[in-house]
Structures are given as C-alpha cells and as structure tokens.
Amino acid sequence: MTSPPTALAWATADPYAKALHTGQGPLFLRRTDGWLLPLEVERWCAQADAVDRTVLDHCEGTVLDVGCGPGRLVAELAARAVPSLGIDVSEAAVAHTIRLGGQALRRSVFDPLPGEARWDTVLLMDGNVGIGGDPHALLTRVAQLLKLHGLLIAETAPVDVDERVHVHLTDAHTTTGAPFPWARLGTPALLRYAHGWEQERQWSAGGRTFVALRTRTASNSADPPNRTAVISSQRPRNPSGESPVADR
C-alpha cells in the first residue's frame, strides 16, 4: 500500500521538527481557507499525563502507537514493561521517542510494518484518526495490523465533526511543503466509518474523547512465517538490550 501525501509533507515540515526540538509551539494545521487548528506540542512533548495513563490502562498485549510523535505514550508503555512500538514519518519524532527509551521506526502506517496482523492493540491518539484524510482507508489498514478481535483505541475530536480537508503545517510564520489531506472526526463520525468493527466503549476525560473498537474478522495480511519482522538495518537503538518488540 502506498503512503499518502501526508507522510512526505509531515516528515519534511520544518516547523514540526523545530517544535519537537524545543518542546514548544505554536504549531498549527492550516486549512486552505486560512483556518488554524492549534496542535498541543507542549502536551505531546511532556510525560504521559493522567488522561494518557488511563487510556494506556485499557491497552492489551503488544501495542503499536501510530503517529507516535515525540513518544510520550511509547515511553510510558516501556516504563510499564509493555511490549510496544511507535511509528512516525518524522525523523525528529522517532529520534525523540528513542531518546525517551521507547522503540520506534520511521514509517507511515501505510508502509509495510513489523508484526502485521499480530498486534493486540493499536493507538490512534492526538488527532491521528485524521492521517491520510480518508478514515475508511485508515481503519481498513489498522484492521490489517491487528490480530483477530484486536483492540483499536482512537482519540476523536471533542465535537461532532466529520471534515476532510487539505492542510499545511505551520508555526504561523513558516510554512513548508505542499498541502496534504487530513480529517477531523468526532465520535459519531468515526463510528459511521467503522464498518466491520465492534464498538467496545466510548468515554471522555480531561476534555478529550476516546473510542475503543474491536476487529470482527481476521486479516489475511500476516507476515509470512519466515519473514523477519524487523531487519537489522531498521532496528531502533535499544538501551535495555532486549529484543525488538515486534520479533515475536
């Protein structure tokens, strides 16, 4: 499956790398009509907060954090000794995650990934239900990554919105790259796209909203039995010396 324009645009967006380096905004997604959506850089770059930890309490087994950003959730899972991996298209985000002690790879969710059809939980946090601007395609891809009856935990917009747009990433002064597709989904919209999924629960905490869904059918996209999940040139630095989580 080919990575959408989102991956290249986000990965090469200098304002994003700068914000992760400093741990501060401002940083926005800017629609073509000039409307700005603030991004919570300071929260992303901080340690997992109480709401994050509550979400992670619901995770089962091995966890794949899609669009892990600077890695606060992967780092928290690592501290809990939960086998986990973050993926992000941003080199700066992956490097930050590894510095925190988490494991991460520079990949788009639409690229080939370790452990396909064998993950117990996939996370789509911090607006990442918008990746690619096509909710149906994203949910289809996540289903391919999860094992049968695997768990998706997604953070949705706290308002009832179903919007597909093209955006730039900007700090309000610098904008680089071409616009890329993005989506904003409230809980009702996400559930409308979740054909073939079973709703487990939905909840709100700290002004944020979440949905837990389970796959109903098995994927046929599992790695071939003899395929190495992560080849040596792709292995992130692992301070603990343990095997990469996806080699199982």
Side-chain angles (χ1 to χ4, degrees), residues 37-184:
L37 175 68
L39 301 179
E40 299 182 74
V41 176
E42 289 84 358
R43 180 171 64 81
W44 297 351
C45 290
Q47 293 183 335
D49 61 21
V51 175
D52 294 328
R53 293 193 295 271
T54 299
V55 171
L56 298 184
D57 289 342
H58 293 290
C59 291
E60 301 171 355
T62 54
V63 181
L64 179 67
D65 185 6
V66 173
C68 65
R72 75 186 192 283
L73 302 179
V74 180
E76 174 66 21
L77 289 165
R80 299 181 180 197
V82 174
S84 56
L85 177 70
I87 59 168
D88 204 286
V89 296
S90 164
E91 182 178 1
V94 170
H96 197 287
T97 300
I98 293 171
R99 284 197 299 272
L100 291 180
Q103 295 199 39
L105 291 174
R106 188 180 180 187
R107 303 279 181 85
S108 162
V109 65
F110 296 103
D111 290 337
L113 292 173
E116 301 215 2
R118 291 185 279 135
W119 291 98
D120 296 299
T121 304
V122 168
L123 297 176
L124 286 173
M125 299 282 281
D126 302 326
N128 285 330
V129 291
I131 289 173
D134 185 338
H136 176 72
L138 181 59
L139 288 172
T140 298
R141 177 58 177 145
V142 169
Q144 293 171 351
L145 297 171
L146 284 165
K147 66 192 296 185
L148 179 61
H149 304 310
L151 182 68
L152 166 63
I153 301 178
E155 182 171 358
T156 56
V159 294
D160 187 2
V161 61
D162 184 354
E163 179 182 54
R164 300 194 207 185
V165 294
H166 281 77
V167 296
H168 278 101
L169 200 62
T170 180
D171 59 8
H173 300 289
T174 304
T175 300
T176 59
F180 55 89
W182 198 254
R184 293 179 64 229

